[in-house]
PDB file of all heavy atoms in Angstrom:
ATOM      1  N   PHE A  17      -7.751 -15.301  14.011  1.00 70.00           N
ATOM      2  CA  PHE A  17      -8.056 -16.599  14.557  1.00 70.00           C
ATOM      3  C   PHE A  17      -6.935 -17.228  15.047  1.00 70.00           C
ATOM      4  O   PHE A  17      -5.945 -17.545  14.269  1.00 70.00           O
ATOM      5  CB  PHE A  17      -8.886 -17.313  13.450  1.00 70.00           C
ATOM      6  CG  PHE A  17      -9.290 -18.731  13.935  1.00 70.00           C
ATOM      7  CD1 PHE A  17     -10.445 -18.832  14.788  1.00 70.00           C
ATOM      8  CD2 PHE A  17      -8.588 -19.798  13.644  1.00 70.00           C
ATOM      9  CE1 PHE A  17     -10.826 -20.256  15.328  1.00 70.00           C
ATOM     10  CE2 PHE A  17      -8.904 -21.089  14.140  1.00 70.00           C
ATOM     11  CZ  PHE A  17     -10.061 -21.167  14.789  1.00 70.00           C
ATOM     12  N   ALA A  20      -6.705 -24.011  19.067  1.00 85.00           N
ATOM     13  CA  ALA A  20      -5.963 -25.275  19.333  1.00 85.00           C
ATOM     14  C   ALA A  20      -6.848 -26.420  19.087  1.00 85.00           C
ATOM     15  O   ALA A  20      -8.112 -26.337  19.206  1.00 85.00           O
ATOM     16  CB  ALA A  20      -5.625 -25.287  20.844  1.00 85.00           C
ATOM     17  N   SER A  50      -1.841 -39.609  13.243  1.00 93.00           N
ATOM     18  CA  SER A  50      -2.595 -40.019  14.349  1.00 93.00           C
ATOM     19  C   SER A  50      -3.170 -41.289  14.085  1.00 93.00           C
ATOM     20  O   SER A  50      -3.637 -41.577  13.052  1.00 93.00           O
ATOM     21  CB  SER A  50      -3.594 -39.080  14.717  1.00 93.00           C
ATOM     22  OG  SER A  50      -4.297 -39.492  15.910  1.00 93.00           O
ATOM     23  N   GLU A  57     -15.498 -38.543   5.878  1.00 95.00           N
ATOM     24  CA  GLU A  57     -16.299 -39.155   4.949  1.00 95.00           C
ATOM     25  C   GLU A  57     -15.982 -39.087   3.528  1.00 95.00           C
ATOM     26  O   GLU A  57     -15.295 -38.009   3.102  1.00 95.00           O
ATOM     27  CB  GLU A  57     -17.671 -38.484   5.126  1.00 95.00           C
ATOM     28  CG  GLU A  57     -18.910 -39.305   4.602  1.00 95.00           C
ATOM     29  CD  GLU A  57     -20.222 -38.784   5.038  1.00 95.00           C
ATOM     30  OE1 GLU A  57     -20.381 -38.229   6.160  1.00 95.00           O
ATOM     31  OE2 GLU A  57     -21.254 -38.911   4.287  1.00 95.00           O
ATOM     32  N   ASN A  77     -18.924 -21.089  21.028  1.00 84.00           N
ATOM     33  CA  ASN A  77     -18.623 -21.390  19.586  1.00 84.00           C
ATOM     34  C   ASN A  77     -17.885 -22.546  19.328  1.00 84.00           C
ATOM     35  O   ASN A  77     -17.089 -22.948  20.147  1.00 84.00           O
ATOM     36  CB  ASN A  77     -17.781 -20.019  19.140  1.00 84.00           C
ATOM     37  CG  ASN A  77     -18.589 -18.770  19.077  1.00 84.00           C
ATOM     38  OD1 ASN A  77     -19.824 -18.824  18.990  1.00 84.00           O
ATOM     39  ND2 ASN A  77     -18.039 -17.589  19.311  1.00 84.00           N
ATOM     40  N   PHE A  79     -15.528 -24.067  16.468  1.00 88.00           N
ATOM     41  CA  PHE A  79     -14.936 -23.824  15.209  1.00 88.00           C
ATOM     42  C   PHE A  79     -14.215 -25.230  14.715  1.00 88.00           C
ATOM     43  O   PHE A  79     -13.760 -25.952  15.529  1.00 88.00           O
ATOM     44  CB  PHE A  79     -13.793 -22.792  15.209  1.00 88.00           C
ATOM     45  CG  PHE A  79     -14.275 -21.468  15.628  1.00 88.00           C
ATOM     46  CD1 PHE A  79     -14.395 -21.029  16.973  1.00 88.00           C
ATOM     47  CD2 PHE A  79     -14.634 -20.569  14.588  1.00 88.00           C
ATOM     48  CE1 PHE A  79     -14.850 -19.702  17.224  1.00 88.00           C
ATOM     49  CE2 PHE A  79     -15.110 -19.281  14.924  1.00 88.00           C
ATOM     50  CZ  PHE A  79     -15.231 -18.875  16.246  1.00 88.00           C
ATOM     51  N   ILE A  83     -10.848 -30.094   5.574  1.00 96.00           N
ATOM     52  CA  ILE A  83      -9.949 -30.302   4.395  1.00 96.00           C
ATOM     53  C   ILE A  83     -10.607 -31.133   3.460  1.00 96.00           C
ATOM     54  O   ILE A  83     -11.122 -32.221   3.649  1.00 96.00           O
ATOM     55  CB  ILE A  83      -8.684 -31.045   4.818  1.00 96.00           C
ATOM     56  CG1 ILE A  83      -7.841 -30.154   5.708  1.00 96.00           C
ATOM     57  CG2 ILE A  83      -7.792 -31.424   3.717  1.00 96.00           C
ATOM     58  CD1 ILE A  83      -6.602 -30.674   6.347  1.00 96.00           C
ATOM     59  N   LEU A  85     -10.318 -33.121   0.062  1.00 97.00           N
ATOM     60  CA  LEU A  85      -9.289 -33.730  -0.654  1.00 97.00           C
ATOM     61  C   LEU A  85      -9.721 -34.451  -1.937  1.00 97.00           C
ATOM     62  O   LEU A  85     -10.515 -35.493  -1.768  1.00 97.00           O
ATOM     63  CB  LEU A  85      -8.490 -34.667   0.421  1.00 97.00           C
ATOM     64  CG  LEU A  85      -7.373 -35.461  -0.320  1.00 97.00           C
ATOM     65  CD1 LEU A  85      -6.142 -34.636  -0.623  1.00 97.00           C
ATOM     66  CD2 LEU A  85      -6.900 -36.612   0.663  1.00 97.00           C
ATOM     67  N   LYS A 114     -17.120 -40.188  13.652  1.00 93.00           N
ATOM     68  CA  LYS A 114     -15.651 -40.500  13.636  1.00 93.00           C
ATOM     69  C   LYS A 114     -15.512 -41.956  13.132  1.00 93.00           C
ATOM     70  O   LYS A 114     -16.281 -42.787  13.549  1.00 93.00           O
ATOM     71  CB  LYS A 114     -15.012 -40.393  15.061  1.00 93.00           C
ATOM     72  CG  LYS A 114     -14.797 -38.990  15.409  1.00 93.00           C
ATOM     73  CD  LYS A 114     -13.970 -38.856  16.806  1.00 93.00           C
ATOM     74  CE  LYS A 114     -13.597 -37.543  17.170  1.00 93.00           C
ATOM     75  NZ  LYS A 114     -12.752 -37.442  18.344  1.00 93.00           N
ATOM     76  N   LYS A 126       2.337 -23.361   6.314  1.00 82.00           N
ATOM     77  CA  LYS A 126       2.331 -21.939   6.662  1.00 82.00           C
ATOM     78  C   LYS A 126       2.322 -21.019   5.361  1.00 82.00           C
ATOM     79  O   LYS A 126       3.228 -21.296   4.495  1.00 82.00           O
ATOM     80  CB  LYS A 126       3.403 -21.556   7.496  1.00 82.00           C
ATOM     81  CG  LYS A 126       3.564 -20.062   8.037  1.00 82.00           C
ATOM     82  CD  LYS A 126       4.467 -19.787   9.032  1.00 82.00           C
ATOM     83  CE  LYS A 126       5.887 -20.222   8.744  1.00 82.00           C
ATOM     84  NZ  LYS A 126       6.778 -19.689   9.727  1.00 82.00           N
ATOM     85  N   GLY A 130      -0.887 -11.853  -0.396  1.00 65.00           N
ATOM     86  CA  GLY A 130      -1.332 -10.610  -0.441  1.00 65.00           C
ATOM     87  C   GLY A 130      -1.571 -10.174  -1.927  1.00 65.00           C
ATOM     88  O   GLY A 130      -0.904 -10.647  -2.801  1.00 65.00           O
ATOM     89  N   GLY A 150     -16.727   9.739  -4.715  1.00 53.00           N
ATOM     90  CA  GLY A 150     -17.362   8.445  -4.556  1.00 53.00           C
ATOM     91  C   GLY A 150     -17.517   8.129  -3.045  1.00 53.00           C
ATOM     92  O   GLY A 150     -18.034   7.119  -2.690  1.00 53.00           O
ATOM     93  N   VAL A 165     -11.001   6.241  -3.519  1.00 65.00           N
ATOM     94  CA  VAL A 165     -10.121   4.985  -3.275  1.00 65.00           C
ATOM     95  C   VAL A 165      -9.184   4.838  -4.238  1.00 65.00           C
ATOM     96  O   VAL A 165      -9.459   4.657  -5.439  1.00 65.00           O
ATOM     97  CB  VAL A 165     -10.987   3.766  -3.007  1.00 65.00           C
ATOM     98  CG1 VAL A 165     -10.111   2.611  -2.847  1.00 65.00           C
ATOM     99  CG2 VAL A 165     -11.985   3.962  -1.908  1.00 65.00           C
ATOM    100  N   ASN A 177      -0.146 -26.452  12.369  1.00 80.00           N
ATOM    101  CA  ASN A 177       0.859 -27.377  13.000  1.00 80.00           C
ATOM    102  C   ASN A 177       0.140 -28.334  13.986  1.00 80.00           C
ATOM    103  O   ASN A 177      -1.093 -28.366  13.991  1.00 80.00           O
ATOM    104  CB  ASN A 177       2.010 -26.629  13.603  1.00 80.00           C
ATOM    105  CG  ASN A 177       1.514 -25.631  14.661  1.00 80.00           C
ATOM    106  OD1 ASN A 177       0.486 -25.766  15.365  1.00 80.00           O
ATOM    107  ND2 ASN A 177       2.120 -24.519  14.841  1.00 80.00           N
ATOM    108  N   GLY A 180      -2.363 -26.527  16.447  1.00 70.00           N
ATOM    109  CA  GLY A 180      -3.657 -26.027  15.957  1.00 70.00           C
ATOM    110  C   GLY A 180      -3.413 -25.103  14.839  1.00 70.00           C
ATOM    111  O   GLY A 180      -2.605 -25.380  13.988  1.00 70.00           O
ATOM    112  N   ALA A 185      -6.406 -12.262   8.602  1.00 55.00           N
ATOM    113  CA  ALA A 185      -6.541 -11.614   7.244  1.00 55.00           C
ATOM    114  C   ALA A 185      -6.970 -10.189   7.540  1.00 55.00           C
ATOM    115  O   ALA A 185      -7.608  -9.775   8.569  1.00 55.00           O
ATOM    116  CB  ALA A 185      -7.696 -12.218   6.464  1.00 55.00           C
ATOM    117  N   GLU A 199     -15.285 -50.965   4.260  1.00 57.00           N
ATOM    118  CA  GLU A 199     -14.169 -51.079   3.331  1.00 57.00           C
ATOM    119  C   GLU A 199     -12.950 -50.213   3.987  1.00 57.00           C
ATOM    120  O   GLU A 199     -13.137 -49.488   4.834  1.00 57.00           O
ATOM    121  CB  GLU A 199     -14.481 -50.623   1.936  1.00 57.00           C
ATOM    122  CG  GLU A 199     -15.577 -51.485   1.420  1.00 57.00           C
ATOM    123  CD  GLU A 199     -15.953 -50.975   0.009  1.00 57.00           C
ATOM    124  OE1 GLU A 199     -15.592 -49.990  -0.496  1.00 57.00           O
ATOM    125  OE2 GLU A 199     -16.834 -51.551  -0.748  1.00 57.00           O
ATOM    126  N   ALA A 205      -3.406 -36.629   2.753  1.00 96.00           N
ATOM    127  CA  ALA A 205      -3.369 -35.267   2.013  1.00 96.00           C
ATOM    128  C   ALA A 205      -2.060 -35.036   1.362  1.00 96.00           C
ATOM    129  O   ALA A 205      -1.367 -34.175   1.798  1.00 96.00           O
ATOM    130  CB  ALA A 205      -3.956 -34.207   2.908  1.00 96.00           C
ATOM    131  N   ASP A 206      -1.599 -35.845   0.475  1.00 97.00           N
ATOM    132  CA  ASP A 206      -0.394 -35.769  -0.143  1.00 97.00           C
ATOM    133  C   ASP A 206      -0.424 -35.159  -1.601  1.00 97.00           C
ATOM    134  O   ASP A 206       0.508 -35.352  -2.397  1.00 97.00           O
ATOM    135  CB  ASP A 206       0.293 -37.290  -0.249  1.00 97.00           C
ATOM    136  CG  ASP A 206      -0.448 -38.193  -1.184  1.00 97.00           C
ATOM    137  OD1 ASP A 206      -1.488 -37.839  -1.563  1.00 97.00           O
ATOM    138  OD2 ASP A 206       0.162 -39.252  -1.320  1.00 97.00           O
ATOM    139  N   ILE A 213     -12.008 -22.895   7.282  1.00 89.00           N
ATOM    140  CA  ILE A 213     -12.236 -22.693   8.577  1.00 89.00           C
ATOM    141  C   ILE A 213     -13.587 -21.981   8.930  1.00 89.00           C
ATOM    142  O   ILE A 213     -13.779 -20.937   8.439  1.00 89.00           O
ATOM    143  CB  ILE A 213     -11.105 -21.966   9.292  1.00 89.00           C
ATOM    144  CG1 ILE A 213      -9.801 -22.538   9.178  1.00 89.00           C
ATOM    145  CG2 ILE A 213     -11.388 -21.730  10.806  1.00 89.00           C
ATOM    146  CD1 ILE A 213      -8.570 -21.714   9.679  1.00 89.00           C
ATOM    147  N   ASP A 216     -19.175 -23.743  13.344  1.00 91.00           N
ATOM    148  CA  ASP A 216     -20.149 -24.618  12.963  1.00 91.00           C
ATOM    149  C   ASP A 216     -21.653 -24.451  13.432  1.00 91.00           C
ATOM    150  O   ASP A 216     -22.578 -24.967  12.782  1.00 91.00           O
ATOM    151  CB  ASP A 216     -19.768 -26.173  13.483  1.00 91.00           C
ATOM    152  CG  ASP A 216     -18.497 -26.611  12.708  1.00 91.00           C
ATOM    153  OD1 ASP A 216     -18.385 -26.369  11.533  1.00 91.00           O
ATOM    154  OD2 ASP A 216     -17.701 -27.305  13.478  1.00 91.00           O
ATOM    155  N   ILE A 227      -4.054 -25.467  -0.798  1.00 92.00           N
ATOM    156  CA  ILE A 227      -2.682 -25.858  -0.663  1.00 92.00           C
ATOM    157  C   ILE A 227      -2.159 -26.428  -1.915  1.00 92.00           C
ATOM    158  O   ILE A 227      -2.606 -27.615  -2.290  1.00 92.00           O
ATOM    159  CB  ILE A 227      -2.415 -26.622   0.506  1.00 92.00           C
ATOM    160  CG1 ILE A 227      -2.735 -25.956   1.811  1.00 92.00           C
ATOM    161  CG2 ILE A 227      -0.842 -26.991   0.646  1.00 92.00           C
ATOM    162  CD1 ILE A 227      -2.127 -24.550   1.971  1.00 92.00           C
TER     163      ILE A 227
END
Side-chain angles (χ1 to χ4, degrees):
F17 173 83
S50 175
E57 191 165 335
N77 290 334
F79 296 94
I83 294 180
L85 179 68
K114 287 187 174 182
K126 179 168 63 175
V165 173
N177 56 31
E199 298 180 357
D206 63 352
I213 299 176
D216 289 328
I227 299 298

